[in-house]
Amino acid sequence: MSPKKLFARSLTMLALTATSLTAIAEEVNVYSFRQAFLIEPIMEKFTKETGVKVNILFAKKGLIERVKREGELSPADLVLTTDISRLVKLTSQDLTQTVNSDTLNKNIPTQYRDPDNQWFALTTRVRNIYSSADRVGPVDITYQDLAKPEFKGKICTRSGKHPYNVSLVASVIAHEGEENAKVWLEKVKENLARKPQGNDRAQVKAVKDGLCDYALGNNYYLGKMLENPKQVSWAEAVSINFPNQKTTGSHVNVSGVVLAKYAPNKDNAIKLMEFLSGDTAQQMYAEVNYEYPVKVGVQPSKLVASWGEFKADVLPLADIAKQHKAAVKLLDEVKFDL
Amino acid sequence: MSAFSVDESGSFQHLIDTVLLDYTLTTLGVIAGVLLLSFCFALPSAWFIACCDFPSRSLLQWCLMLPLAIPPYIVAIVYTDLLDFSGPIQRFLREFMHWQSVSDYYFPDIRTANGAIVILALTLYPYLYLLLRGAFLGQSGGLFQAARTLGLSPLQAFKRVSFPLSRSAMAVGLSLIAMETLGDFATVNYFAVNTLTTAVYDTWLELGSLTTAAKISSLMLLALVILISLENHSRRKQKIYQRSGATHTELRFQLFGWHRWAVLGFLWGLLFFAFLLPLCALLSYAVHYFSVSLNEELWQYTLNSFWLASIVASIALIIALFVNFYQRLSPGLFAKMCIRLSSLGYAVPGTVVAIGVLIPFTSLDLWFNRQLVEFGFSRVGLLFSGTLFILVVGYLVRFSAIAVGSIDSSLAQVSPSLDLASRSLGQTAGQTIRRVNLPLIKKGMLTAFILVFIEAMKELPTALLLRPFNFETLATYVYQFVSDEMIEYAALPALLIVLIGLVPFIVVNRLLEKAS
């Protein structure tokens, strides 16, 4: 192709994206840490009901930095993310604004939103301990048990630095203090069957393969794996257990949303937030993603309900988030991933 | 709240106290391993292809470049699927040997530093192969023949003539591989190998310390620059230019007997493990999951990837020509600095580059919009950092090094006496470049274009973070599934990355054939 043509083509591409950003249409822009294919069905429903188009930008890392750098010009209306630490990080870096919406306040119980209404949780998820269905079966277990000598060489987990594990460690710090948490983490590391690797699904597979008997994993992965023809046999090889039922309760994390400080489409953004906390979306989160809806009265999916009721850790999420940095450092100190 | 306030002072000390040494040693080990292994792959292949004659030579000649077109992390996933406990190979072994469980036998674990070294070497060796082959082809065959007639064995002749003459190409090739390895995150992360890149990510994105992340990045770069400069320094007196006359084309060794079989086995084996096997695995996934992975957007993503890669490759080529000719015309420290600077981005992980280019361009946008408002105009939004512009810039920062290096090594073989002759015949500097230099480095230019094009097709982290809304490339689309261990769903788009990457190969091959 001639350079001239190439140049012309690149100019058109630039112009196209520029106009799509500045065009004033009924739309709302979402920066999402959550994969597009997970939330797209919900967004499609929203567009169908309201006529507002949803633009999603998905990335697993760095979106907070991007919003921060873009400042007052940021096109982001909402940031959609998992993990309490990211929600608190957005809030504490002054990248969010308060939302006063009766609908949101009514739909989302107080413990699942920021006291100043800067962030809102949309779903909760449990950090479960999976056990081998053949070799172990369902067990009454605690996170603290994982440090016991009889678990030597029997535990699999993803990287300690993954937000889900960092938050779990942070919750142990919040409950027991940093010193006890360090002793616990060191012993858990000694009990690992292999170096932390893969994601939560890979741990379930490792249990199926007989590499370990216990694995840390979020609850919704089990549902997702049962849907996947290749992974269904992995999922069937494990029992799902809710840890710490007789003590502090299972560690629960959230996925949530914030309204960006400089949201250009504020009205539509709030409309979408309200929609996400409403019956339809909450039902979809439950049915499509197997998460626990935050809205009182919306039932979890049949599969999730079949796992039974459980006691959740009541420690406020903000207290756990406060220990985030200490948890990251602790993981380095015990060289958890090495 | 205080948990997320930026803590600049303690982070670096914390790292030094805990994991920095481990990370550094792992990083050095991985780089050394990848360099050594790629060297073992690339040097024999390049020499056999350039200097020997055997069946399927002309086919292998360009097939050996193909592994470049597959993203390393895809190869990593494919091999992990094949080799892990429930993969076909171990399953077969268990059935065959009547083993029951993990504890009954030993099987090497691929998710280790060694696994990462093998995968990275398999996908990166073509850089070295490409440059070495070019160097061997460019060497005058007469020199080699002279060495032989002076009584040296082929091996001695190779050691004492061909090898020293190809050092410039080797240095460029190895440093490209070292930089690519240093900048890799996806593969090492998949294999649970913690390198300095891990430290950069952790300190920046988890501990929120930009300065510490920058410190580590600069240390990594510094080490690399020192290494490259040392190598440059060691051959400062060496000047090699190609002469016309007989090349290896007419003087290739004819291989017979077991020599021929050994060479064929080596080359086809390399191609099989580096390219054919992963490709077949992807193909079989793609066929099985064809209906779920084919959708109307796929065509759009393919076009996006193709145009983006074309634009980036063209601009990178222009930049590379500019800095290289600048250095040729006015050599000096400044020109050298330009070359080095234009190359640094390649060794930095994509996400870091992405945030690195976001900082100045968002500032520019903010400044520009404030100026507009001041003068009574309305704001135009993120003109630079919110459009494809920044994506192209991010890619250029990452990949200019490849184009610069490739032009550098082919220009190095054009003797300055040709420039002098042209100038003394009354041609201006510009005319000399156009009429003498450019035609002589045509092949290098095409190579530069292809390499950047392919890298741009594969690039993931920069694209993820810098793309505007509603803009997916094949790589970002693939990532959505791969990040959830669902490679099957991503096999078709992953195959498209490879196939589109092959387009310029074929086009260029045609061009070269036409030219000859």
Side-chain angles (χ1 to χ4, degrees):
Chain A
M1 161 191 0
S2 72
K4 226 187 222 167
K5 223 168 156 190
L6 198 69
F7 183 67
R9 176 82 204 200
S10 54
L11 270 186
T12 354
M13 269 176 95
L14 248 172
L16 274 176
T17 49
T19 46
S20 75
L21 279 177
T22 45
I24 305 159
E26 283 294 296
E27 57 182 9
V28 54
N29 300 325
V30 180
Y31 280 7
S32 173
F33 281 94
R34 310 207 64 187
Q35 280 114 313
F37 75 93
L38 284 175
I39 49 170
E40 248 157 23
I42 300 175
M43 299 303 175
E44 273 165 24
K45 196 99 184 180
F46 173 73
T47 306
K48 220 181 204 173
E49 279 189 14
T50 59
V52 177
K53 189 176 167 236
V54 185
N55 302 312
I56 303 174
L57 181 77
F58 152 74
K60 277 203 168 167
K61 284 193 167 78
L63 282 179
I64 296 181
E65 312 296 321
R66 179 161 169 180
V67 167
K68 195 170 153 188
R69 294 291 161 198
E70 288 171 341
E72 67 208 47
L73 296 174
S74 177
D77 293 305
L78 298 178
V79 181
L80 206 58
T81 178
T82 58
D83 202 76
I84 180 65
S85 68
R86 291 216 191 93
L87 292 172
V88 174
K89 193 172 177 183
L90 281 158
T91 313
S92 66
Q93 299 201 2
D94 195 23
L95 301 171
T96 58
Q97 53 178 311
T98 309
V99 183
N100 293 313
S101 149
D102 292 339
T103 315
L104 283 173
N105 292 349
K106 193 178 87 223
N107 285 346
I108 303 175
T110 15
Q111 76 261 37
Y112 293 130
R113 51 189 155 89
D114 180 53
D116 297 331
N117 284 350
Q118 300 267 346
W119 57 259
F120 298 85
L122 294 170
T123 62
T124 64
R125 55 272 295 287
V126 180
R127 195 88 184 126
N128 294 102
I129 297 176
Y130 291 105
S131 56
S132 162
D134 296 343
R135 298 183 297 279
V136 182
V139 282
D140 179 25
I141 194 171
T142 66
Y143 301 112
Q144 285 71 18
D145 287 340
L146 298 179
K148 289 184 177 162
E150 63 255 39
F151 286 81
K152 182 134 188 104
K154 291 188 173 164
I155 302 166
C156 282
T157 178
R158 75 193 307 167
S159 160
K161 294 284 182 56
H162 189 275
Y164 299 161
N165 278 344
V166 175
S167 283
L168 177 62
V169 174
S171 84
V172 175
I173 296 178
H175 275 296
E176 305 183 8
E178 222 171 311
E179 257 167 57
N180 290 333
K182 187 174 177 181
V183 175
W184 169 75
L185 198 59
E186 270 168 347
K187 289 190 176 151
V188 174
K189 180 188 150 69
E190 274 171 30
N191 285 346
L192 293 181
R194 57 175 189 182
K195 217 163 96 168
Q197 56 186 272
N199 61 9
D200 281 357
R201 296 185 199 225
Q203 313 315 318
V204 171
K205 177 165 179 265
V207 172
K208 185 208 166 221
D209 289 348
L211 296 172
C212 41
D213 291 345
Y214 301 89
L216 280 168
N218 281 1
N219 65 283
Y220 51 90
Y221 284 111
L222 195 60
K224 275 293 179 196
M225 290 168 71
L226 287 167
E227 274 177 7
N228 183 318
K230 185 179 143 192
Q231 297 177 351
V232 67
S233 69
W234 311 356
E236 282 167 350
V238 294
S239 312
I240 185 167
N241 305 295
F242 290 86
N244 296 44
Q245 287 307 291
K246 292 191 181 125
T247 60
T248 49
S250 301
H251 170 62
V252 168
N253 208 324
V254 294
S255 80
V257 65
V258 301
L259 179 64
K261 188 172 183 186
Y262 299 103
N265 309 295
K266 194 173 162 182
D267 292 345
N268 284 337
I270 294 177
K271 217 187 272 175
L272 178 55
M273 287 173 95
E274 289 172 345
F275 176 83
L276 291 176
S277 73
D279 284 318
T280 315
Q282 288 284 305
Q283 197 72 49
M284 287 180 84
Y285 270 123
E287 298 291 340
V288 181
N289 292 346
Y290 306 101
E291 296 170 69
Y292 291 94
V294 287
K295 184 167 190 264
V296 178
V298 178
Q299 297 306 314
S301 80
K302 231 184 223 160
L303 174 76
V304 174
S306 76
W307 300 333
E309 298 274 318
F310 69 97
K311 177 173 144 193
D313 190 349
V314 289
L315 197 71
L317 287 168
D319 289 355
I320 295 176
K322 263 182 209 153
Q323 301 300 335
H324 178 85
K325 211 175 242 178
V328 172
K329 289 192 168 177
L330 201 58
L331 285 156
D332 274 343
E333 275 169 35
V334 308
K335 303 190 179 180
F336 193 80
D337 283 351
L338 295 173
Chain B
M1 294 282 173
S2 63
F4 291 97
S5 62
V6 178
D7 152 37
E8 299 290 10
S9 54
S11 299
F12 198 58
Q13 191 56 44
H14 160 74
L15 271 186
I16 293 176
D17 291 343
T18 55
V19 285
L20 195 63
L21 184 67
D22 296 276
Y23 288 176
T24 312
L25 291 178
T26 315
T27 309
L28 291 176
V30 169
I31 291 180
V34 172
L35 288 183
L36 188 71
L37 203 56
S38 339
F39 184 77
C40 296
F41 291 155
L43 183 74
S45 345
W47 198 75
F48 291 145
I49 293 286
C51 307
C52 302
D53 208 11
F54 46 86
S56 72
R57 196 197 63 87
S58 53
L59 178 65
L60 275 169
Q61 157 163 312
W62 72 276
C63 277
L64 283 169
M65 294 185 253
L66 297 181
L68 272 188
I70 308 193
Y73 64 90
I74 299 279
V75 181
I77 295 169
V78 166
Y79 269 104
T80 309
D81 272 7
L82 283 176
L83 292 174
D84 73 1
F85 183 82
S86 46
I89 291 171
Q90 289 204 46
R91 220 165 41 214
F92 171 78
L93 281 176
R94 277 197 300 275
E95 259 161 43
F96 194 70
M97 306 292 291
H98 302 292
W99 289 322
Q100 298 299 323
S101 72
V102 181
S103 50
D104 292 348
Y105 62 101
Y106 168 79
F107 195 84
D109 185 6
I110 184 176
R111 277 188 150 172
T112 55
N114 289 336
I117 288 172
V118 173
I119 298 298
L120 285 171
L122 277 177
T123 45
L124 296 178
Y125 84 86
Y127 282 120
L128 189 58
Y129 160 76
L130 208 61
L131 288 157
L132 280 179
R133 195 197 61 180
F136 290 146
L137 281 174
Q139 285 166 17
S140 158
L143 275 179
F144 195 80
Q145 286 312 96
R148 293 293 311 274
T149 45
L150 287 171
L152 295 183
S153 74
L155 197 64
Q156 282 171 321
F158 170 74
K159 246 179 22 203
R160 294 172 59 177
V161 179
S162 300
F163 188 74
L165 283 175
S166 56
R167 265 190 58 188
S168 145
M170 204 161 343
V172 175
L174 286 175
S175 54
L176 282 180
I177 293 175
M179 287 203 262
E180 178 98 22
T181 308
L182 202 54
D184 171 82
F185 181 70
T187 316
V188 288
N189 184 46
Y190 187 74
F191 281 150
V193 177
N194 291 285
T195 61
L196 285 170
T197 314
T198 321
V200 174
Y201 276 95
D202 281 356
T203 42
W204 198 329
L205 302 173
E206 297 297 331
L207 296 176
S209 170
L210 179 62
T211 31
T212 308
K215 260 186 216 166
I216 303 167
S217 291
S218 0
L219 281 180
M220 285 158 70
L221 289 179
L222 190 70
L224 204 68
V225 170
I226 291 175
L227 218 69
I228 297 171
S229 309
L230 274 180
E231 198 286 329
N232 262 322
H233 185 74
S234 73
R235 58 181 163 85
R236 67 194 179 282
K237 288 195 184 129
Q238 198 186 13
K239 294 253 184 295
I240 303 156
Y241 305 108
Q242 67 185 10
R243 302 255 162 73
S244 51
T247 63
H248 282 283
T249 323
E250 297 95 50
L251 298 165
R252 287 206 173 96
F253 293 110
Q254 296 294 323
L255 293 181
F256 299 105
W258 71 269
H259 284 122
R260 174 187 279 191
W261 289 113
V263 167
L264 280 176
F266 176 78
L267 296 178
W268 280 104
L270 183 59
L271 184 65
F272 176 77
F273 286 112
F275 185 74
L276 297 177
L277 184 65
L279 189 77
C280 288
L282 282 182
L283 262 174
S284 98
Y285 288 143
V287 169
H288 278 106
Y289 287 77
F290 190 71
S291 52
V292 285
S293 48
L294 186 72
N295 56 44
E296 56 224 67
E297 281 105 33
L298 206 55
W299 176 238
Q300 187 56 48
Y301 303 156
T302 310
L303 277 181
N304 288 349
S305 281
F306 177 79
W307 284 113
L308 190 60
S310 310
I311 292 165
V312 169
S314 312
I315 302 178
L317 183 61
I318 294 167
I319 293 175
L321 288 173
F322 185 81
V323 293
N324 273 299
F325 278 113
Y326 180 71
Q327 197 201 16
R328 194 173 175 91
L329 291 175
S330 51
L333 198 62
F334 180 72
K336 217 175 222 164
M337 293 272 289
C338 282
I339 291 223
R340 290 275 178 283
L341 265 180
S342 65
S343 307
L344 288 182
Y346 193 45
V348 182
T351 303
V352 178
V353 166
I355 298 176
V357 294
L358 260 180
I359 293 171
F361 284 107
T362 42
S363 304
L364 178 66
D365 273 326
L366 288 166
W367 177 84
F368 185 62
N369 278 276
R370 278 173 203 152
Q371 295 300 312
L372 281 178
V373 172
E374 203 142 294
F375 288 102
F377 297 101
S378 60
R379 300 200 310 198
V380 290
L382 297 167
L383 198 59
F384 299 104
S385 61
T387 58
L388 279 180
F389 173 84
I390 193 163
L391 197 55
V392 172
V393 173
Y395 275 43
L396 287 174
V397 172
R398 278 276 283 137
F399 302 131
S400 289
I402 311 173
V404 171
S406 152
I407 299 289
D408 182 29
S409 77
S410 65
L411 201 56
Q413 298 194 346
V414 178
S415 165
S417 59
L418 286 176
D419 298 22
L420 296 177
S422 156
R423 296 298 291 275
S424 66
L425 288 170
Q427 302 282 314
T428 63
Q431 284 168 324
T432 306
I433 290 173
R434 215 177 51 241
R435 300 173 65 172
V436 179
N437 295 146
L438 285 184
L440 282 172
I441 59 162
K442 205 149 115 209
K443 230 173 172 173
M445 284 163 60
L446 289 170
T447 310
F449 182 89
I450 296 181
L451 291 180
V452 178
F453 182 91
I454 287 174
E455 282 300 330
M457 283 297 298
K458 296 188 293 184
E459 173 60 17
L460 176 65
T462 320
L464 263 184
L465 198 54
L466 293 181
R467 74 209 145 108
F469 280 109
N470 306 320
F471 184 87
E472 296 275 352
T473 66
L474 285 172
T476 61
Y477 183 64
V478 164
Y479 177 70
Q480 284 199 37
F481 298 100
V482 166
S483 63
D484 250 342
E485 311 238 336
M486 298 198 291
I487 175 105
E488 306 84 16
Y489 292 83
L492 187 62
L495 264 182
L496 284 172
I497 295 181
V498 181
L499 295 180
I500 308 289
L502 295 184
V503 169
F505 267 128
I506 296 162
V507 172
V508 166
N509 233 31
R510 278 268 172 80
L511 285 178
L512 290 179
E513 268 166 24
K514 247 189 217 162
S516 63

